[in-house]
């Protein structure tokens, strides 16, 4: 099978849910995903994307499966191609006040509300977003199984990574530019040596969940 044919089949599978909704007359289907739940520092970021019916973008996939350069390329194409897109954040102080689960839902709600067009239906990666008026479906593993959610995951990931580069310049010594997933050994060592910075989530550093200290990036 040729690469182009294989990619076409993959995209058809990714678009199955959108096509059911488009056929039902729901033209503005928004995909929503977040980035930054696990890290000890920085915001949690969510993105919402709406594409025109039958639009598909070659290469779109779960952001975690893409090389950084490919993510940036696709993020630019998503912004140009989408009917509407929106990115929202919840910063560490609010994460500490709400808890990270509720903060991630709030970031997703803000992303949906921030769309320039009101969606007819929302597809979300594994969640249900409180406080939005349109119908929605949570899809487990949606960033790998749904075209528009995968696009949202790419926007959320690339925007958050860019903000972490800015925070790394503002608060050197923690390796924040590389703090994109769970805490690494070097980040834990920096926290022990320097203490938390203003961009750290104090509820995480003072009362860490064991998962947050897995190795990774």
């Amino acid at each position: 099978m040729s690469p182009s044919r294989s990619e076409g089949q993959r995209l058809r599978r990714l678009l199955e849910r959108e096509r059911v909704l488009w056929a039902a007359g729901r033209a503005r289907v928004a995909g929503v995903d977040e980035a930054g739940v696990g890290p000890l520092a920085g915001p949690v970021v969510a993105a919402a994307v709406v594409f025109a019916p039958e639009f598909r973008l070659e290469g779109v996939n779960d952001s975690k499966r893409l090389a950084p350069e490919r993510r940036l390329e696709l993020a630019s194409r998503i912004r140009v191609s989408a009917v509407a897109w929106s990115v929202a954040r919840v910063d560490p102080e609010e994460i500490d006040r709400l808890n990270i689960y509720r903060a991630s839902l709030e970031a997703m709600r803000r992303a949906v509300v921030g769309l320039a067009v009101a969606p007819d239906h929302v597809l979300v990666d594994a969640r249900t977003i409180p406080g939005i008026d349109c119908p929605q479906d949570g899809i487990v593993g949606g960033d790998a199984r749904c075209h528009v959610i995968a696009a949202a995951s790419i926007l959320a990931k690339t925007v958050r990574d860019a903000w972490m580069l800015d925070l790394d310049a503002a608060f050197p010594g923690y390796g924040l530019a590389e703090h994109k997933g769970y805490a690494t050994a070097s980040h834990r060592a920096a926290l022990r040596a320097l203490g938390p910075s203003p961009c750290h989530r104090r509820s995480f550093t003072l009362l860490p969940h064991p998962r947050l200290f897995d190795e990774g990036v």
Side-chain angles (χ1 to χ4, degrees):
M1 184 183 298
S2 68
S4 59
R5 185 176 178 186
S6 175
E7 175 65 1
Q9 290 184 350
R10 187 187 71 86
L11 288 172
R12 281 193 290 276
R13 289 192 296 271
L14 286 182
L15 283 161
E16 286 176 355
R17 289 165 180 81
E18 287 100 314
R19 283 181 166 153
V20 169
L21 293 168
W22 291 332
R26 297 178 183 178
R28 298 187 299 273
V29 178
V32 185
D33 199 10
E34 49 72 23
V37 167
L40 304 184
V44 60
V45 177
V49 178
V50 178
F51 289 126
E54 297 304 328
F55 176 81
R56 64 183 194 173
L57 182 57
E58 185 175 337
V60 162
N61 205 339
D62 175 4
S63 63
K64 296 184 292 296
R65 301 183 180 185
L66 299 169
E69 297 79 9
R70 183 61 167 153
R71 281 197 298 263
L72 288 170
E73 176 191 347
L74 286 166
S76 295
R77 295 173 65 190
I78 289 164
R79 290 185 178 93
V80 171
S81 304
V83 171
W85 61 271
S86 172
V87 174
R89 64 191 280 171
V90 173
D91 287 318
E93 297 84 355
E94 195 170 2
I95 291 172
D96 290 337
R97 181 171 60 81
L98 293 174
N99 76 44
I100 186 58
Y101 178 74
R102 290 172 59 197
S104 66
L105 293 176
E106 174 59 16
M108 289 191 284
R109 186 195 68 79
R110 292 175 186 176
V112 172
V113 171
L115 288 167
V117 300
D120 300 317
H121 202 102
V122 172
L123 299 174
V124 192
D125 185 26
R127 318 274 178 94
T128 299
I129 305 171
I132 63 172
D133 296 331
C134 64
Q136 59 180 306
D137 296 315
I139 300 171
V140 176
D143 48 4
R145 298 171 60 196
C146 177
H147 180 265
V148 75
I149 297 177
S153 80
I154 291 167
L155 279 192
K157 172 69 172 166
T158 53
V159 168
R160 187 180 189 278
D161 285 356
W163 280 335
M164 293 308 293
L165 286 172
D166 292 341
L167 289 174
D168 185 62
F171 304 105
Y174 297 95
L176 294 175
E178 301 303 321
H179 189 45
K180 300 168 183 174
Y182 297 124
T184 61
S186 60
H187 193 158
R188 297 199 301 271
L191 277 171
R192 287 192 293 270
L194 303 173
S197 76
C199 72
H200 277 89
R201 305 168 185 179
R202 299 305 179 98
S203 54
F204 280 29
T205 56
L206 296 177
L207 297 170
H209 188 285
R211 281 187 63 204
L212 301 178
F213 286 85
D214 294 341
E215 294 295 333
V217 293

